[in-house]
Amino acid sequence: AQSVTQPDIHITVSEGASLELRCNYSYGATPYLFWYVQSPGQGLQLLLKYFSGDTLVQGIKGFEAEFKRSQSSFNLRKPSVHWSDAAEYFCAVGAPGYALNFGKGTSLLVTP
Amino acid sequence: NAGVTQTPKFRVLKTGQSMTLLCAQDMNHEYMYWYRQDPGMGLRLIHYSVGEGTTAKGEVPDGYNVSRLKKQNFLLGLESAAPSQTSVYFCASSWTSGADTQYFGPGTRLTVL
């Protein structure tokens, strides 16, 4: 079965600084990887996903993520964070015929 | 196109009471899911459905029942609510299984006293 770990529970960055959120997965075959964002009081919204092909994936709101098979990682990045990016971020791993497995989330705080 | 909607948005129950949460989607998705979200626990799958008339257990199914009588609706029932079921409940839908994007509703905040 697949699983995902988000090592950072909370991260604080200054507005305008770069951001990297970590995600490590466990799965024997090529995984289907997702990043979702949850704003306070809202449901989850897909930021980006990786199925195959180019290992650098572009998403909405200026986010990108890189799939590194050798490190079993799918880290989310943004070059310059805006105050509106403050939210909870979830990494998820899936496979055909299986349910998605979500990480426990990373809470992002953006300071002025 | 409303996407995924959930009713109600908030609910307070007393221990032992029953209730049903309604999820509706207008995207003609085959798959529908119910999750609960608790602080520090992420999202945990309660039950899911792979099509009209079918349901299956997820990671934390105890104390919940579900039904999918119509393709667009997925109901989550609590027959005898317990304080441990205080949580935020999310419904989601997708075209296919775990390899596909899931679309989420806005959530229902349930408090059991």
Side-chain angles (χ1 to χ4, degrees), chain B:
Chain B
N1 192 344
V4 180
T5 58
Q6 293 182 231
T7 309
K9 287 186 167 54
F10 303 93
R11 186 71 186 268
V12 178
L13 290 179
K14 294 180 180 178
T15 298
Q17 287 185 319
S18 64
M19 78 162 293
T20 300
L21 306 183
L22 170 64
C23 175
Q25 54 97 0
D26 60 3
M27 295 173 281
N28 203 34
H29 286 166
E30 289 292 338
Y31 288 70
M32 297 187 74
Y33 314 84
W34 276 107
Y35 295 91
R36 60 176 291 172
Q37 183 179 31
D38 303 291
M41 301 294 290
L43 278 87
R44 292 182 291 170
L45 183 64
I46 304 171
H47 287 280
Y48 63 100
S49 167
V50 302
E52 182 177 318
T54 72
T55 63
K57 294 180 180 179
E59 180 186 355
V60 289
D62 294 342
Y64 305 95
N65 57 76
V66 288
S67 65
R68 183 118 181 253
L69 299 179
K70 293 183 179 180
K71 187 176 183 179
Q72 64 267 35
N73 295 336
F74 194 29
L75 305 179
L76 178 71
L78 287 73
E79 290 186 347
S80 179
S84 61
Q85 293 177 305
T86 293
S87 187
V88 181
Y89 292 86
F90 288 99
C91 176
S93 69
S94 64
W95 286 111
T96 63
S97 65
D100 199 3
T101 301
Q102 292 188 12
Y103 295 83
F104 283 80
T108 295
R109 183 173 294 276
L110 174 66
T111 301
V112 182
L113 302 176

Side-chain angles (χ1 to χ4, degrees), chain A residues 3-109:
Chain A
S3 65
V4 64
T5 302
Q6 294 180 245
D8 304 305
I9 298 175
H10 300 283
I11 282 190
T12 300
V13 299
S14 300
E15 190 168 16
S18 63
L19 170 70
E20 182 169 29
L21 302 182
R22 295 184 291 164
C23 172
N24 296 103
Y25 70 89
S26 174
Y27 186 59
T30 300
Y32 291 68
L33 294 161
F34 305 79
W35 274 101
Y36 285 85
V37 61
Q38 183 183 29
S39 298
Q42 304 294 317
L44 278 71
Q45 179 186 19
L46 180 73
L47 281 176
L48 47 80
K49 59 187 178 185
Y50 171 79
F51 288 172
S52 64
D54 193 348
T55 57
L56 185 61
V57 181
Q58 301 297 321
I60 63 171
K61 306 185 181 187
F63 285 91
E64 66 177 26
E66 186 171 13
F67 171 61
K68 292 186 177 180
R69 184 188 300 276
S70 62
Q71 299 178 16
S72 297
S73 69
F74 188 57
N75 294 348
L76 182 71
R77 301 193 295 246
K78 187 170 184 178
S80 178
V81 170
H82 188 262
W83 64 266
S84 60
D85 293 323
E88 188 93 15
Y89 292 81
F90 292 93
C91 182
V93 61
Y98 292 91
L100 271 185
N101 274 317
F102 286 86
K104 289 183 168 37
T106 297
S107 179
L108 174 65
L109 177 65

